[in-house]
Amino acid sequence: MRFVLLILAIISSCAGLSPPQPDLTCTISPLGAGHDDTDQVLAAIEKCGHGGHTILRDGVYNITRKMTWDLVDAKVDLHGFLSFVPDIEFWLNPNNTYRVVFIQSQASWFVITGSDFEVDAHNTGGIQGNGQPWWDFFTTVPREDGDGRPISLTLFRAVRGVIRNFVIEAQPFWCNCIAESQSVVYDGMKCNASNTNATFFGQNIVPNTDGIDTYRSDDIALLNWDITCGDDCLAIKGNSTNILARNITCRGGNGVAFGSLAQYVNLTDMVENVFMDTMTMTRINASIQPNMGNGVYFKSWDGTVNGAPPTGGGGASGFAKNVTLRNVVLDRVNRPTTIEQTNGGHSGDLPSIFKFSDIHYENWSGTALTNLGEFVALECSPAVNCTTIAFEGFNVSVPAGEAPEIVCQNVVGLSGISCT
């Protein structure tokens, strides 16, 4: 597990970042209800974001436009919440957000970039996404990738950074995304997308509220996460390498996703060296979030190009390999795990040329609801097969009187379970 040791070394080095200059400190407080804090926040970061220390005292900071923090050899103590005004039409205008996340043309309203920095929210601050008006709005408006709904917190081209003890409430869309970054540690992240509108109790009106999507990033540690969402708790997308996830709690949603992958026909997706340890997927009150889809699932587009990204695509190559999923506890998930290689596909399409291999399931326990589908479905592409899929200590139970159905297609080198 060389890559795990490498990431742990990165965590240690990030924890020892050089302290900011003691004479370069910027301290601000919220201006109060009805006032716009965007200018004063940006001014503090501009003054102290390189080599200094910025302190945002407790309270609510009203943010009315897109914001970048360029941090170099700097620390930010964020004791309060950055509250992004829920002006939906304003944020859906592409001119009012950043498009730094290439995949699926996603929008961002808050971007952190730079090197050798720490942002600590002390479990008392972070981002207020004011998602409820967004979720209500999109119950009658179609959703699609790239439509302009903003990611709450985006790290872009960040190197040797730490995000610590951060809370994101009511993210309208993805809670986090890290793109084109290296050697970053998230230690303590809470995301909470919980519908409070009784009109929609029992429905999932918070899709696409992923905890994080990783993309084109290397040496990333996700430690101590607590995610309530209606979609992927963690999503490992293309060219994510040397990823460590540890002590992760997923409440509702679809579970942990690898994908989707192979969407862009002219690009190769590579996912390699992913170690996930100590994860819990738990079903919550169905009136708040009825979904608890999977433990961990893998998905790629098939081999035919159907339309163009951000909403279509397919036909690309690549691989996901050397993935270890250890110490996973499931609470009434629909299905513990699956590999599915026909995302966005149609009958008669070419099989996927994206390959999954060296996937290791170790010490899984808990419960699954088999009446909602197969217990395990490894439905791999006949063009490339899945190779070396190993189960060790896989002790997930099903309701009394039901027999677990394990589907295996085009798997070479399967161990630890038997296909039905």
Side-chain angles (χ1 to χ4, degrees):
M1 305 304 288
R2 180 198 64 81
F3 72 95
V4 176
L5 297 176
L6 173 63
I7 292 176
L8 291 175
I10 291 165
I11 295 170
S12 177
S13 66
C14 288
L17 294 173
S18 299
Q21 300 176 37
D23 59 345
L24 187 58
T25 299
C26 299
T27 302
I28 62 173
S29 299
L31 297 176
H35 295 275
D36 187 349
D37 291 287
T38 314
D39 284 340
Q40 71 153 341
V41 171
L42 288 174
I45 295 296
E46 183 176 1
K47 181 178 179 180
C48 294
H50 282 215
H53 184 193
T54 305
I55 302 171
L56 284 75
R57 293 186 176 127
D58 185 38
V60 176
Y61 296 83
N62 296 308
I63 306 300
T64 62
R65 62 184 189 275
K66 63 185 179 182
M67 181 169 59
T68 293
W69 289 4
D70 180 17
L71 303 175
V72 178
D73 295 315
K75 181 174 182 181
V76 178
D77 284 302
L78 175 60
H79 296 282
F81 279 88
L82 305 172
S83 179
F84 286 80
V85 58
D87 186 341
I88 295 171
E89 295 297 340
F90 173 83
W91 292 115
L92 291 179
N93 183 335
N95 295 322
N96 297 328
T97 56
Y98 305 105
R99 295 299 175 108
V100 296
V101 178
F102 170 78
I103 190 168
Q104 298 164 348
S105 305
Q106 305 297 15
S108 300
W109 59 18
F110 179 30
V111 174
I112 297 178
T113 189
S115 61
D116 303 291
F117 62 82
E118 178 179 348
V119 178
D120 191 341
H122 301 276
N123 291 318
T124 64
I127 293 170
Q128 172 54 257
N130 295 302
Q132 192 67 54
W134 287 85
W135 307 328
D136 293 351
F137 178 78
F138 277 98
T139 59
T140 57
V141 175
R143 298 177 177 91
E144 60 182 16
D145 283 324
D147 60 19
R149 288 171 292 155
I151 301 165
S152 290
L153 175 59
T154 301
L155 266 62
F156 175 67
R157 295 183 179 172
V159 180
R160 295 181 303 279
V162 178
I163 304 294
R164 195 183 304 281
N165 302 320
F166 211 93
V167 178
I168 301 179
E169 289 287 349
Q171 66 270 22
F173 187 62
W174 295 356
C175 194
N176 292 271
C177 182
I178 184 165
E180 301 183 32
S181 297
Q182 184 175 9
S183 304
V184 172
V185 176
Y186 295 81
D187 186 2
M189 173 64 66
K190 181 179 179 180
C191 297
N192 179 22
S194 296
N195 166 52
T196 59
N197 185 341
T199 302
F200 304 106
F201 282 175
Q203 305 175 43
N204 179 21
I205 70 162
V206 298
N208 307 120
T209 52
D210 301 14
I212 189 170
D213 286 56
T214 68
Y215 182 62
R216 291 180 174 173
S217 293
D218 180 61
D219 295 337
I220 309 300
L222 312 174
L223 311 176
N224 306 311
W225 284 54
D226 190 324
I227 307 298
T228 301
C229 70
D231 216 306
D232 297 331
C233 180
L234 314 177
I236 309 301
K237 295 194 182 296
N239 300 293
S240 297
T241 54
N242 298 308
I243 308 294
L244 170 65
R246 175 171 287 159
N247 191 24
I248 310 294
T249 299
C250 304
R251 305 178 191 275
N254 293 334
V256 171
F258 285 72
S260 58
L261 299 161
Q263 182 177 7
Y264 290 77
V265 67
N266 58 331
L267 300 175
T268 299
D269 280 341
M270 294 173 287
V271 173
E272 187 172 15
N273 297 341
V274 179
F275 183 81
M276 296 185 171
D277 180 34
T278 311
M279 300 194 296
T280 300
M281 319 294 171
T282 185
R283 188 174 291 273
I284 61 176
N285 186 332
S287 69
I288 303 301
Q289 178 51 255
N291 293 7
M292 190 62 251
N294 304 276
V296 179
Y297 71 113
F298 300 80
K299 60 179 179 178
S300 74
W301 291 67
D302 70 14
T304 296
V305 178
N306 289 301
T311 56
S317 62
F319 60 82
K321 67 180 181 180
N322 195 20
V323 175
T324 299
L325 309 165
R326 179 179 294 171
N327 299 325
V328 178
V329 178
L330 308 179
D331 173 28
R332 296 165 292 160
V333 302
N334 291 356
R335 187 161 55 185
T337 191
T338 181
I339 299 175
E340 186 266 323
Q341 298 206 249
T342 57
N343 190 67
H346 302 87
S347 177
D349 280 358
L350 296 172
S352 176
I353 55 174
F354 186 92
K355 184 175 179 64
F356 292 100
S357 65
D358 297 303
I359 301 173
H360 303 269
Y361 300 82
E362 300 177 2
N363 190 29
W364 282 47
S365 61
T367 56
L369 307 178
T370 60
N371 61 321
L372 299 176
E374 300 96 342
F375 181 65
V376 172
L378 309 176
E379 299 175 330
C380 302
S381 168
V384 288
N385 298 325
C386 294
T387 58
T388 313
I389 310 296
F391 291 77
E392 181 179 350
F394 193 79
N395 299 305
V396 180
S397 63
V398 299
E402 295 188 17
E405 181 181 0
I406 299 175
V407 176
C408 308
Q409 298 174 1
N410 308 304
V411 181
V412 177
L414 175 67
S415 62
I417 61 171
S418 301
C419 305
T420 55

